[in-house]
Amino acid sequence: MAKVIVVGDPLVSSNLLEKAALQLKITGPIEVKKFEWYYDISKKEFQRIIKKIEMVGPEYMDIPNGILEELETANYLLVHYAPISRKMIEHAQHLKVIGTCRGGTEHVNMTVCQEHGIPVIYVIRNAEAVADFTIGLMYAETRNISRAHQFMMNGQWKKAFPNDPYKTTLSHLKVGICGFGHIGKLVIKRLNALGVDVLLYSSRENKDDLNKNGLSVEMVDLETLFTESDIVSLHARVTKENRNMIDKSLISRMKPSSYLINTARPELLDKEDLIDALRNHRIAGAAIDVFWEEPLDPNDELLKLDNITLTPHIAGDTVDAILGSPNLLRDALNEYFRGGLTPTALKW
């Protein structure tokens, strides 16, 4: 008997996770124990919880009652956003694999997983959605689509904007991609199809991966990316080393006609340095979908700028991205069990 524990939340229910767990290709019958984490609050309230766990990690979050006892005999643990802390892992002496149906692993104590040699399987549930949205933000900001709409809704027929001296088509711009994960690859693929020249900075350069995916880019260092790009789009994970790495020193390298796009993580970017550059029109504009505080405070300085496009962390929010993620996790786990190549498997 294989024992699988699933922990649902307001976005991905335990019922969806249970259905996926029962389709795992593991030997013998499967017993599923279901738990819920913050299942009885609204999605809006849950966004605050998500932001907190992204900031503080799994160790300072509550866990469902009774889960520690069940973990003592569990073989598999599947979650969406629920925390997986040191205490939980150390109670799970028979745990073989942890699976999470999202791309980020801030809610998992990866250090303890590594100490105990427990593989972590994750999935990029919304990569296509975020890649589409990123391209949309490039158009929206460079061509003033959203701010023109806002003026129209306020009864103003406005056709002049701060970036007027730089307005041109996307194909005439050079886009710099910072980060070469699943989303970054998909953004590059779309830009290649649009005939856009692409620069790429990645701390883990993989030319074989570029060739395998048929992507056309020019690899550059980070300083060159910011110096030469007309649009810089962030797609890196947050680590201790790169937190706030996009600061005044890099932003000051950007052309006055250039734009910054962030659909990744706010912690990559120094907020005050970005605001200063936009307020003084040292760059042409920015488009941001992720924020240091969510929801955004009504008095936030970002709301006072005339050269920024803001969206409320919705880049990955499509009807199929989140609800379909347990099935993606099921498929990734089954591929892992077969010994196949699983790019989203973290093994130690």
Side-chain angles (χ1 to χ4, degrees):
M1 176 76 72
K3 182 176 178 180
V4 183
I5 291 181
V6 302
V7 187
D9 58 43
L11 301 180
V12 176
S13 71
S14 62
N15 289 335
L16 288 174
L17 286 166
E18 178 187 34
K19 184 177 179 181
L22 291 171
Q23 297 174 42
L24 294 177
K25 305 296 184 182
I26 47 184
T27 304
I30 298 174
E31 175 192 16
V32 178
K33 292 288 185 180
K34 297 193 294 183
F35 291 89
E36 302 286 357
W37 186 64
Y38 284 109
Y39 71 97
D40 56 350
I41 65 173
S42 69
K43 291 182 179 180
K44 183 177 180 179
E45 290 174 306
F46 190 56
Q47 289 299 322
R48 298 180 186 274
I49 304 298
I50 289 174
K51 189 63 183 177
K52 183 176 179 182
I53 204 169
E54 288 179 350
M55 295 295 293
V56 305
E59 296 305 317
Y60 306 100
M61 306 297 294
D62 59 348
I63 59 175
N65 291 330
I67 195 170
L68 291 179
E69 293 77 9
E70 292 292 349
L71 277 170
E72 292 177 358
T73 54
N75 305 115
Y76 305 93
L77 174 60
L78 309 184
V79 305
H80 175 231
Y81 241 114
I84 301 177
S85 64
R86 174 177 288 274
K87 180 184 287 188
M88 292 172 67
I89 296 168
E90 291 180 345
H91 268 74
Q93 296 298 313
H94 303 282
L95 200 60
K96 297 178 179 179
V97 175
I98 290 171
T100 177
C101 49
R102 59 183 302 268
T105 55
E106 302 93 342
H107 59 304
V108 182
N109 191 320
M110 302 299 286
T111 300
V112 186
C113 291
Q114 185 171 8
E115 290 173 1
H116 290 259
I118 300 173
V120 178
I121 311 297
Y122 65 97
V123 296
I124 310 300
R125 67 184 183 201
N126 56 9
E128 292 280 353
V130 176
D132 286 346
F133 200 89
T134 301
I135 299 296
L137 286 181
M138 292 181 189
Y139 281 117
E141 177 55 31
T142 62
R143 298 299 305 281
N144 303 299
I145 295 171
S146 59
R147 64 177 59 95
H149 167 78
Q150 184 178 15
F151 280 113
M152 290 284 287
M153 295 298 288
N154 291 329
Q156 299 179 58
W157 188 267
K158 187 174 177 63
K159 301 185 71 171
F161 301 97
N163 66 343
D164 278 355
Y166 316 119
K167 280 191 304 189
T168 186
T169 60
L170 188 60
S171 63
H172 289 163
L173 301 176
K174 183 177 291 186
V175 177
I177 302 296
C178 181
F180 192 52
H182 290 265
I183 296 170
K185 292 173 186 174
L186 290 172
V187 173
I188 294 170
K189 181 179 179 181
R190 285 156 171 74
L191 291 169
N192 285 169
L194 291 167
V196 178
D197 290 337
V198 181
L199 303 179
L200 172 63
Y201 166 76
S202 174
S203 59
R204 286 178 276 184
E205 178 182 341
N206 189 334
K207 291 184 178 178
D208 290 338
D209 210 5
L210 282 171
N211 295 332
K212 182 179 69 176
N213 287 275
L215 301 176
S216 175
V217 304
E218 179 186 349
M219 297 293 304
V220 295
D221 58 39
L222 191 58
E223 289 75 17
T224 301
L225 188 87
F226 276 79
T227 301
E228 296 187 3
S229 299
D230 299 299
I231 300 174
V232 175
S233 189
L234 306 183
H235 300 285
R237 291 181 177 275
V238 175
T239 65
K240 291 179 181 179
E241 292 73 27
N242 69 13
R243 188 175 293 271
N244 288 328
M245 73 172 182
I246 314 302
D247 59 7
K248 184 176 182 178
S249 64
L250 284 174
I251 296 173
S252 65
R253 291 176 173 269
M254 297 175 70
K255 306 172 187 177
S257 58
S258 62
Y259 303 85
L260 184 60
I261 312 290
N262 191 9
T263 55
R265 289 287 186 267
E267 292 80 18
L268 293 169
L269 184 58
D270 187 292
K271 181 180 180 180
E272 295 308 315
D273 288 351
L274 173 66
I275 290 174
D276 181 68
L278 291 169
R279 183 185 291 130
N280 292 288
H281 294 271
R282 295 194 183 99
I283 61 175
I288 308 291
D289 183 60
V290 290
F291 300 92
W292 299 262
E293 178 186 356
E294 295 183 5
L296 198 62
D297 189 296
N299 297 312
D300 197 291
E301 291 298 312
L302 290 169
L303 297 173
K304 301 175 184 178
L305 300 169
D306 62 356
N307 51 355
I308 192 168
T309 299
L310 305 174
T311 53
H313 204 158
I314 57 173
D317 190 5
T318 61
V319 294
D320 49 352
I322 294 178
L323 294 181
S325 60
N327 294 332
L328 294 176
L329 180 59
R330 172 204 63 203
D331 294 343
L333 284 165
N334 285 336
E335 183 66 20
Y336 173 78
F337 296 146
R338 285 194 296 268
L341 294 174
T342 310
T344 56
L346 300 174
K347 297 179 286 186
W348 320 107

